[in-house]
Amino acid sequence: MPEEGPYTLRILRVDLGTGKVSEELIDGETTRRYVGGTGLATKYLWEEVPAGVEWSDPENRLTFFTGPLAGTRVSGSGTFSVTTLGACTNMCGTSQANGFFGAFMRTHGVDGVIVQGAAEKWTRLHIHDGTIQLLGAEHLLGKDTWETEDAVKEEIGQRCSVFSIGPAGENLVRFSAIVGDHGHVAAHNGVGAVMGAKKLKCISTTKGDSKPRVEDPERLVAVAKELAKVSKEVDPGMMLYGTNAGIAPLSAMGAVPIRNYTTNVFPEHNTFVPEYLRAHFKSKPAACWACVIAHCRMMEVTEGPYTGFYGEEPEYEGNAEMGPLIGMNEPGSTVMLCNLVDRLGFDINESGYMIAWLMECYERGLLAKSDLDGVEMRWGDAEAVATMLRKIAIRDGCGDFFADGVKRAAERVGGEARDCAVYTLKGASPRGHDHRGHWLEFIDTCLSNTGTVETGGHLFTPPNLGLDRVQDRFDPIAMSTMNAKLNGGRNLEDSLGICRLCTPNLALTLECLNAVTGWDYTVEEAQEMGLRIVNLMRMFNFRHGLTKEVEAPSERYGSTPVDGPAAGISIRIHWDAIRDNYYEQMGWDVETGKPLAETLEKYGLEHLAKESSV
Ligand code: SF4
């Protein structure tokens, strides 16, 4: 990257079909409009993935982009985003992973990699000395993500970061993830399946010698220090216990998913809180690049049937998905299963809802033992879960039927089985919450462009934007309006190259961005940028088949809780009003959900208006 003039980004493009590598420089104006990460990647998707292309086609793009803060002294700045036409929704998918990859890539002057085409033979990519090499990967086939990482590290023989797909991605399981740095995951919307379709087993980068360009190093040191201080103070629970600190408050809201949404009562709650896990199991920190929060940990199970098991401490999502959601009441089993999900290369969310659905179907006789190749899917049976996950990962027997994810499997079975599956009609399952007690995320999940939450995040919160919080969490219109007001924040976060847990303060984060780039980004420009990406993604999704009808929950997802803190409160009866209000707030046509011409113009996307009227 040039060290003078406007702040620019350098992208490498790899065509796996031809083996050709090229590079392109993103000019200063474009960089400021799209920032990097998810923002810049969405621009590429729009320009290069036309209508009719499917997620598994060679014409699809798979991007690994980081942003201006990555590799700097800002806490948690080892982050990158994977963006593509995702396999679960066949619409936009973007998923962020932390660790070291984003920082290491920038030590070679590389801000992003675009992968296009598909290789004939399994390939791995390696960034080193400012460029990228295509290398053979046939010998890595069948290895899980941790085995792949270890094998590639041994081959490279120096410090590096490796992200790979596991057996699930190799076998094009739609809900496959990309996993690296022993426990970090780009999980959502089947980004790993896209990687598998391109016959790309892994991507790695060594740590180079150069440092990312910083316009005002002194200012950055001061602001990064202040941001780190605020990050540590703002959420003491996160500092102590990581994302599992959410178990107790979410439980009190009725927002922890339990037994496939059949209940909100979780008597074993006390053995899943982080205080219990840390007191009963051994663990040690495993922080990402420059992170002061350092919430990630490695864990050894020291009691129960999996005593001696060593792996990553589950995040909240895994703890919920492989815990209460599947009727598990033994926390050591949850640790083992979360690690198995990562190693096989699955998205933990879709995996959890798939297993929970199979368990309910088995219990109610909607799926027979013979439909499950003899595996008795009883609530909380860790060995049955492990067996089924392995079958799905390699599409063995009934595993092939379930490898296309919850929505497709449930709709193929049909009837009562379909009606008890948790998914959005777009084709993805929600995060590890019972959203019937957490309406902001429910609305976001059904209406987002990415197959998972799009609005929620740490930058655009009511306090950061000077907004009053909604007092009644079950007020349908107020929650829908708030979702629109906070929109764009996550897309901005995922464009910066920094972990979202390290961005609790919008003003300080923007100051860091300005110190690095020499810009004078304001809150208004940040909101405009975020909403530009939301609208661009939306236009991309309409091009790829989005309709108003699929912006809705499945029968069970939108059902009324029968017990617990949200008992008897229905979101479904308000759904049409929620969706229409959201469209209106976003400046979208209420009849179709498409961005209006004036909305596109507002965000500098007027050139898209022609496609909007199709
Ligand atoms: S907060 Fe956690 S996930 Fe984020 S950078 Fe720090 S250790 Fe990594």
Side-chain angles (χ1 to χ4, degrees):
M1 182 201 299
E3 287 302 311
E4 291 181 351
Y7 197 86
T8 56
L9 298 173
R10 179 171 171 257
I11 304 296
L12 298 181
R13 183 186 290 270
V14 180
D15 189 324
L16 289 173
T18 63
K20 192 176 158 219
V21 174
S22 56
E23 76 171 66
E24 36 210 85
L25 201 65
I26 310 300
D27 65 63
E29 191 186 334
T30 306
T31 303
R32 184 160 177 158
R33 274 171 67 81
Y34 296 97
V35 178
T38 295
L40 186 61
T42 304
K43 173 185 171 314
Y44 273 104
L45 278 193
W46 171 261
E47 290 171 354
E48 300 188 7
V49 183
V53 171
E54 298 286 314
W55 66 271
S56 54
D57 289 341
E59 292 80 8
N60 192 8
R61 301 295 191 254
L62 180 68
T63 65
F64 301 83
F65 279 16
T66 186
L69 297 186
T72 67
R73 301 180 60 150
V74 180
S75 176
S77 57
T79 301
F80 69 105
S81 294
V82 181
T83 307
T84 188
L85 182 70
C88 291
T89 64
N90 206 49
M91 291 183 247
C92 187
T94 186
S95 199
Q96 175 225 43
N98 301 307
F100 296 86
F101 189 89
F104 283 12
M105 181 161 69
R106 292 198 93 207
T107 63
H108 293 288
V110 177
D111 300 304
V113 176
I114 302 172
V115 180
Q116 63 189 61
E120 260 182 45
K121 289 188 171 174
W122 283 94
T123 300
R124 72 177 176 90
L125 292 173
H126 182 54
I127 301 168
H128 186 65
D129 274 349
T131 189
I132 194 161
Q133 298 168 283
L134 287 81
L135 301 161
E138 296 281 331
H139 61 297
L140 299 171
L141 277 198
K143 288 191 189 301
D144 71 33
T145 57
W146 283 45
E147 290 167 344
T148 303
E149 179 176 342
D150 293 343
V152 171
K153 280 183 169 167
E154 201 174 320
E155 280 178 42
I156 293 171
Q158 66 184 96
R159 194 171 177 207
C160 58
S161 170
V162 183
F163 275 75
S164 72
I165 54 171
E170 288 174 21
N171 290 292
L172 308 189
V173 174
R174 281 202 194 228
F175 49 106
S176 303
I178 302 171
V179 183
D181 288 344
H182 283 170
H184 294 280
V185 188
H188 297 292
N189 209 355
V191 293
V194 176
M195 194 155 157
K198 294 190 174 302
K199 281 197 161 41
L200 178 61
K201 176 68 177 168
C202 72
I203 182 166
S204 56
T205 171
T206 52
K207 181 176 178 298
D209 295 327
S210 61
K211 290 188 175 158
R213 174 179 170 185
V214 175
E215 285 297 306
D216 189 340
E218 265 181 46
R219 183 177 167 211
L220 182 66
V221 169
V223 188
K225 204 168 152 193
E226 183 60 21
L227 181 60
K229 183 167 165 275
V230 173
S231 301
K232 286 201 267 187
E233 288 167 358
V234 79
D235 193 345
M238 173 69 70
M239 282 297 294
L240 262 180
Y241 294 124
T243 51
N244 282 315
I247 287 266
L250 287 165
S251 214
M253 290 167 65
V256 171
I258 302 162
R259 291 187 176 229
N260 202 36
Y261 280 37
T262 54
T263 176
N264 257 162
V265 178
F266 180 31
E268 299 87 3
H269 151 263
N270 286 340
T271 56
F272 280 81
V273 294
E275 291 86 341
Y276 183 95
L277 291 178
R278 295 278 173 90
H280 286 254
F281 300 157
K282 284 187 200 160
S283 71
K284 62 178 184 192
C288 304
W289 171 274
C291 183
V292 296
I293 295 179
H295 93 281
C296 295
R297 294 177 89 85
M298 303 306 289
M299 180 161 266
E300 183 186 336
V301 176
T302 51
E303 60 184 44
Y306 295 99
T307 296
F309 180 88
Y310 180 78
E312 176 208 7
E313 178 186 69
E315 297 283 345
Y316 162 80
E317 298 279 328
N319 208 10
E321 302 273 357
M322 290 294 138
L325 180 62
I326 62 167
M328 175 63 68
N329 57 15
E330 201 288 303
S333 302
T334 296
V335 176
M336 182 279 288
L337 288 172
C338 286
N339 278 273
L340 182 64
V341 165
D342 276 9
R343 279 177 170 265
L344 293 172
F346 289 116
D347 169 19
I348 191 84
N349 293 147
E350 190 85 18
S351 302
Y353 287 103
M354 172 61 76
I355 294 297
W357 174 65
L358 293 177
M359 287 174 161
E360 184 176 343
C361 285
Y362 181 67
E363 181 181 60
R364 293 172 57 191
L366 302 172
L367 287 173
K369 194 171 160 183
S370 56
D371 295 322
L372 303 168
D373 295 351
V375 184
E376 298 191 71
M377 293 299 290
R378 295 204 170 93
W379 294 111
D381 185 333
E383 286 303 312
V385 176
T387 302
M388 187 55 71
L389 287 171
R390 290 193 181 99
K391 288 177 79 64
I392 295 173
I394 58 170
R395 288 184 176 268
D396 174 43
C398 68
D400 186 43
F401 188 84
F402 304 126
D404 283 337
V406 176
K407 175 183 188 287
R408 289 170 180 85
E411 290 182 349
R412 271 184 229 141
V413 178
E416 288 181 54
R418 177 199 58 221
D419 292 346
C420 70
V422 177
Y423 58 93
T424 69
L425 300 192
K426 281 183 197 152
S429 293
R431 280 168 20 106
H433 300 116
D434 187 332
H435 282 151
R436 300 170 306 171
H438 192 351
W439 284 18
L440 198 66
E441 278 212 7
F442 187 108
I443 295 166
D444 189 13
T445 302
C446 290
L447 298 175
S448 93
N449 292 307
T450 60
T452 181
V453 287
E454 181 182 27
T455 292
H458 293 239
L459 274 181
F460 290 3
T461 58
N464 278 348
L465 294 180
L467 302 170
D468 292 330
R469 291 189 190 278
V470 177
Q471 293 304 315
D472 177 2
R473 67 189 172 107
F474 298 119
D475 180 329
I477 298 304
M479 289 310 248
S480 166
T481 300
M482 181 56 79
N483 194 48
K485 283 187 175 164
L486 302 181
N487 211 346
R490 190 170 285 249
N491 284 328
L492 173 64
E493 275 170 15
D494 289 352
S495 303
L496 297 171
I498 180 175
C499 170
R500 68 174 56 106
L501 301 178
C502 297
T503 58
N505 184 295
L506 176 59
L508 287 171
T509 304
L510 293 181
E511 269 204 63
C512 287
L513 179 66
N514 290 335
V516 169
T517 58
W519 300 339
D520 53 359
Y521 243 64
T522 58
V523 170
E524 290 70 31
E525 188 171 353
Q527 286 183 291
E528 189 183 319
M529 179 271 167
L531 288 166
R532 178 177 300 124
I533 306 312
V534 172
N535 281 282
L536 188 54
M537 279 181 181
R538 193 153 185 92
M539 291 301 294
F540 180 78
N541 285 350
F542 273 109
R543 178 193 279 175
H544 290 277
L546 175 63
T547 61
K548 182 176 180 178
E549 288 66 39
V550 298
E551 297 214 293
S554 69
E555 193 66 28
R556 173 62 61 80
Y557 187 28
S559 62
T560 304
V562 295
D563 53 20
I569 304 173
S570 168
I571 191 167
R572 181 176 295 287
I573 56 172
H574 305 293
W575 185 249
D576 287 349
I578 287 172
R579 183 178 51 195
D580 289 355
N581 174 67
Y582 179 74
Y583 286 176
E584 205 178 321
Q585 298 291 327
M586 290 297 298
W588 299 343
D589 185 304
V590 174
E591 293 306 313
T592 64
K594 285 187 177 178
L596 298 169
E598 63 254 34
T599 305
L600 294 175
E601 195 176 338
K602 186 172 169 188
Y603 299 112
L605 300 171
E606 51 278 1
H607 53 291
L608 276 55
K610 204 167 142 222
E611 201 152 340
S612 182
S613 60
V614 172

